[in-house]
Amino acid sequence: MARTEESTGLDDLDTLEELMRAANRGDAAAYHRLLTAITPLLRRVVQARGAALGPAGCEDVLQDVLLAIHSKRHTWREDAPLRPWLYAIARHKVVDVFRARGRRVELSIDDFTEALAAQTGPDPTDGRDMEKVLGKLDPRAAEIVRAFGLKGETTAETAARLDMSEGAVRTALHRALKSIARLRERMIE
């Protein structure tokens, strides 16, 4: 077991497994040496598997890997090699990040601001959606909603035009707005 770990900078007397065993028994110096030795190894694994995450994303994953190793180090079997256990944690953390991102692609819109500039003016789809909803109301309720919402009429003007009392117009408007809310919920679902 006294082999040289060239890529970790460990001397002939230490192996990763020996350091992990000592760390699991409470040796803080061994734990520090272990973390110092495995960090470059794990950084390379994360960078190789998560190149699409960019340097900052890879460093974030590396920190997650080191935290996972710290919290789960008691699960490592002392008779097993350490590197496969470490590499498995690193691979799984990279996969977790990609899984959390889903299939979306993240692009900065700074490069597209001029090409994506919206035309000024009202949204052409706003009126169509409202007309669909108003078309499902009874004609008088739809007319009252149009009078207030689109024409900007007052209660008195609407009541006079429709030959209703102001109280009846307010009640009809209230009921119509409740119906619109229910209709919109069904349209969204």
Side-chain angles (χ1 to χ4, degrees):
M1 259 218 212
R3 64 185 171 86
T4 303
E5 300 277 347
E6 313 83 25
S7 60
T8 62
L10 298 175
D11 58 32
D12 288 335
L13 301 176
D14 290 325
T15 65
L16 293 177
E17 289 79 7
E18 289 167 350
L19 288 173
M20 184 66 140
R21 281 187 206 97
N24 280 345
R25 289 183 180 88
D27 185 343
Y31 189 51
H32 177 73
R33 290 187 68 209
L34 175 73
L35 290 176
T36 302
I38 65 173
T39 299
L41 300 172
L42 295 172
R43 182 175 283 119
R44 286 193 296 271
V45 171
V46 169
Q47 287 171 341
R49 297 213 169 244
L53 300 172
C58 287
E59 283 302 308
D60 289 345
V61 173
L62 177 63
Q63 294 305 311
D64 286 343
V65 170
L66 293 171
L67 284 170
I69 289 167
H70 176 73
S71 65
K72 299 294 183 184
R73 65 185 175 172
H74 65 279
T75 65
W76 172 68
R77 286 188 5 240
E78 290 196 5
D79 61 332
L82 184 62
R83 283 179 188 239
W85 185 79
L86 296 171
Y87 295 163
I89 292 172
R91 284 191 310 271
H92 288 287
K93 288 297 179 182
V94 171
V95 168
D96 288 347
V97 169
F98 281 119
R99 194 174 288 138
R101 281 176 55 179
R103 294 179 180 243
R104 72 177 188 267
V105 176
E106 294 180 10
L107 295 173
S108 171
I109 64 166
D110 293 338
D111 298 336
F112 305 101
T113 54
E114 290 181 24
L116 297 175
Q119 296 177 354
T120 58
D123 184 353
T125 61
D126 282 345
R128 280 185 263 158
D129 287 347
M130 184 51 86
E131 283 302 320
K132 279 185 200 175
V133 173
L134 291 176
K136 295 184 183 216
L137 293 176
D138 69 81
R140 178 165 242 162
E143 179 57 31
I144 291 172
V145 171
R146 281 188 190 96
F148 282 96
L150 301 176
K151 297 176 186 171
E153 289 182 3
T154 66
T155 305
E157 292 169 334
T158 305
R161 190 170 52 78
L162 297 176
D163 195 31
M164 298 171 68
S165 71
E166 288 184 38
V169 168
R170 283 192 290 274
T171 302
L173 177 64
H174 177 71
R175 289 179 181 156
L177 293 176
K178 284 177 83 173
S179 295
I180 288 172
R182 284 193 301 272
L183 289 169
R184 289 294 290 168
E185 284 179 17
R186 280 190 240 141
M187 290 175 72
I188 292 171
E189 293 173 349

